[in-house]
Amino acid sequence: MPEADSSIPLPAAPESSRAVLQALAERVGLLVPGASLSHQQIAFAEGVVDLVKQGRISGGRPA
């Protein structure tokens, strides 16, 4: 997996969660800059956020 490109900025609040997820997807190489996340990708990302909030998965990177 390619290294994250930290030069791609993440939007500051109060922008939409979709904008933040879009920027993050570009940063980690899931999408090329300018491409749009699909509804399925957004649903997956929101599901991951919910699982982290519930404590069912860790929110950190593996060591």
Side-chain angles (χ1 to χ4, degrees), residues 39-63:
H39 294 294
Q40 292 88 355
Q41 289 168 320
I42 292 291
F44 176 79
E46 290 172 344
V48 170
V49 170
D50 288 342
L51 290 173
V52 170
K53 286 180 180 178
Q54 296 168 13
R56 295 183 67 192
I57 60 174
S58 170
R61 288 181 169 226

Side-chain angles (χ1 to χ4, degrees), residues 4-57:
D5 184 355
S6 60
S7 68
I8 297 173
L10 295 178
E15 291 201 45
S16 73
S17 60
R18 185 180 185 98
V20 174
L21 294 172
Q22 177 79 31
L24 179 60
E26 292 175 7
R27 181 181 275 195
V28 301
L30 179 66
L31 295 175
V32 295
S36 294
L37 285 170
S38 70
H39 294 294
Q40 292 88 355
Q41 289 168 320
I42 292 291
F44 176 79
E46 290 172 344
V48 170
V49 170
D50 288 342
L51 290 173
V52 170
K53 286 180 180 178
Q54 296 168 13
R56 295 183 67 192
I57 60 174

